[in-house]
Amino acid sequence: MIGRFTARRAAAPESFAVVDETSVSENSMVNSHAAEPAQPDPAPVANPLLSDKLLDAKVRLHRRLIEEINLSALEKLPEEEMRGQIKQLVTQYIMAERLALNQKELDDFVSEILDEMTGLGPLEPLLKDGSISDILINGHECVYVERGGLLEPCGVRFKDEAHLLRIINKIVAAVGRRVDESHPLCDARLLDGSRFNVAVRPVGVDGPLVSIRKFSKKPFNLSKLVEYNAIRPQMAEVLAAAVRARITTIISGGTGSGKTTMLNALSAFISEKERLITIEDAAELQLQQPHVARMETRPPNLEGKGEIRQRELVKNALRMRPERIILGECRGEEAFDMLQAMNTGHEGSMATIHANNPREAVSRLEQLIGMAGMPMTIASIRGQIASAIKLIVQLTRMSDGKRKVTSIAEITGLEGDIIQMQEIFKFVRTGTGPDNSVIGHFQATGVRPRFLQDLVAMGVKIPGSYFDPSQPL
């Protein structure tokens, strides 16, 4: 037995009972209408689990259970046995408090209590829903999710701000971080690798702001991206060959455009004999190779000391005998050290960067290198970029929520002070459908990339028809 629990009615005003005569009569009215075939179907009855009173009862019952049972002993039980024990206690409570729940609603109630005790409460069903890619919380009463690239409101909510803060602290404590008024901003990751960001008061004016970018349990490969029409087979074949041939690649795109997904997909074509080192702010890459060393940054401690930034990790990675360095996102002065690595025997390294087109990605790299504070002229910075980076893959999140590779461009060198670039493939938008879907097509520009010579030297042959603009992709 996991502990004693005696269900009893509360005589105090803070009663657990949530059913009144109105709700009982309302249920009987629904049943009587259902028995008369001549009447139209009744309107669906709201799920009582979403009612304010039952939500309040659930949170208070959870607190009461925590006080009265041995939670450490409970967590050691098998899931089915633990669920049975909790169901027995909850059933006693429901019978004593006369909560009007049917069997399905009772099972849902037990699941929510288990989520509160051992999981992340109201977030659990959202995290288990494979169709949801983002969870956005604007205060305890307002939750949005993203499905298929489009945002929609969600019926899930929290009892109050304290309830939401308890879930937030449970998440950040699991990765050794904290969030409070003195440290109102925090980046973390969930146990499954999902990216988690939170801003609490005083930064969050109306309450805690939470953003969760869910971690895909089955990482997308290039075949899946072709299936979803994010890229065409010919383009995918060229990119896969470039990765095998150690062509240094930058993946550019806006927030939520699929940069990390593309990086994961391309990394599958790296040889298993190579040693890879990944560097990220919050570890989320899912490389499939056997020889991967993963590192992530560390925030400062309570005294403001002990911070480890990406630049220190890049420098340290160079002493760890990497063959390729994979930088999750280049966003600061580490860009300088990354270019140095790409120019000194670590060809084939990859990174992502925030930019709206390939030319802008190059400009942003120049700015990030300038943040390193090194006494370099603009000509020498551009020379470093031109010699280090060969390929830029541009991703865009379209207005209908779909992600597409909108450009693949090659950096061909430096002419004067200008970095020369040629586009190989592009996406051409031609219109908008009746459901606001984007209409367009992929096409080759007619330019044959210079790195084809490297592919031929490695025995990889790409048909010339792939680069013919008159041939459909």
Side-chain angles (χ1 to χ4, degrees), residues 78-363:
E79 184 176 350
E80 286 302 316
E81 188 176 345
M82 176 173 63
R83 186 180 182 87
Q85 294 274 17
I86 293 295
K87 186 172 183 178
Q88 180 182 353
L89 300 180
V90 172
T91 303
Q92 293 176 19
Y93 159 75
I94 287 174
M95 291 176 63
E97 299 299 335
R98 294 189 300 174
L99 297 181
L101 301 180
N102 60 32
Q103 186 60 47
K104 182 181 184 305
E105 292 162 355
L106 172 61
D107 291 340
D108 291 343
F109 192 84
V110 171
S111 295
E112 292 191 15
I113 290 293
L114 281 169
D115 289 342
E116 287 287 341
M117 298 179 69
T118 61
L120 300 178
L123 290 179
E124 285 292 335
L126 302 182
L127 293 171
K128 293 173 184 175
D129 189 339
S131 66
I132 294 175
S133 56
D134 281 88
I135 304 169
L136 307 171
I137 303 172
N138 307 324
H140 67 278
E141 291 185 321
C142 181
V143 180
Y144 279 78
V145 297
E146 180 186 289
R147 282 190 175 94
L150 300 176
L151 289 176
E152 59 185 57
C154 176
V156 169
R157 54 196 173 83
F158 299 82
K159 176 181 180 291
D160 51 27
E161 191 170 318
H163 183 201
L164 175 54
L165 282 171
R166 185 172 62 79
I167 300 297
I168 291 170
N169 284 315
K170 193 172 185 178
I171 293 171
V172 299
V175 292
R177 303 188 181 187
R178 70 188 186 98
V179 58
D180 52 31
E181 286 189 3
S182 59
H183 293 82
L185 301 176
C186 183
D187 270 317
R189 70 177 187 276
L190 304 183
L191 294 177
D192 66 353
S194 298
R195 187 190 304 171
F196 175 88
N197 178 270
V198 61
V200 301
R201 295 181 190 273
V203 173
V205 177
D206 299 318
L209 304 174
V210 178
S211 304
I212 300 176
R213 173 68 54 79
K214 284 180 62 178
F215 190 78
S216 175
K217 292 182 175 61
K218 294 181 180 179
F220 282 82
N221 53 32
L222 273 183
S223 299
K224 275 288 184 185
L225 296 178
V226 169
E227 183 181 326
Y228 290 142
N229 201 33
I231 188 173
R232 299 308 298 151
Q234 297 89 330
M235 300 163 65
E237 189 175 333
V238 171
L239 288 181
V243 171
R244 291 194 191 98
R246 299 179 65 91
I247 304 298
T248 304
T249 304
I250 294 290
I251 299 172
S252 167
T255 302
S257 59
K259 299 186 297 298
T260 303
T261 299
M262 177 59 72
L263 186 56
N264 273 322
L266 292 181
S267 68
F269 298 96
I270 298 175
S271 169
E272 294 188 353
K273 297 180 180 179
E274 297 184 37
R275 172 173 166 81
L276 310 179
I277 295 183
T278 67
I279 298 169
E280 303 172 81
D281 261 344
E284 56 183 341
L285 290 174
Q286 298 170 280
L287 303 192
Q288 307 304 311
Q289 284 71 15
H291 199 163
V292 178
R294 305 170 71 203
M295 294 193 291
E296 71 174 351
T297 59
R298 189 179 76 177
N301 59 18
L302 296 178
E303 291 77 29
K305 300 178 181 178
E307 179 182 15
I308 299 178
R309 298 174 302 170
Q310 286 199 24
R311 186 174 189 184
E312 284 80 30
L313 294 180
V314 173
K315 289 179 179 178
N316 190 74
L318 295 176
R319 305 184 183 99
M320 299 172 70
R321 199 212 168 273
E323 288 177 281
R324 301 196 201 206
I325 295 176
I326 313 294
L327 194 60
E329 184 176 336
C330 185
R331 63 176 71 179
E333 64 271 17
E334 68 273 4
F336 174 77
D337 302 279
M338 178 190 73
L339 284 185
Q340 297 301 308
M342 291 175 173
N343 274 320
T344 54
H346 302 93
E347 296 84 2
S349 296
M350 294 189 284
T352 70
I353 192 169
H354 272 86
N356 294 323
N357 56 63
R359 179 63 65 181
E360 192 176 308
V362 171
S363 299

Side-chain angles (χ1 to χ4, degrees), residues 311 333 336-337 369-377 381:
R311 186 174 189 184
E333 64 271 17
F336 174 77
D337 302 279
I369 293 171
M371 292 171 62
M374 306 299 291
M376 297 176 65
T377 64
I381 291 176

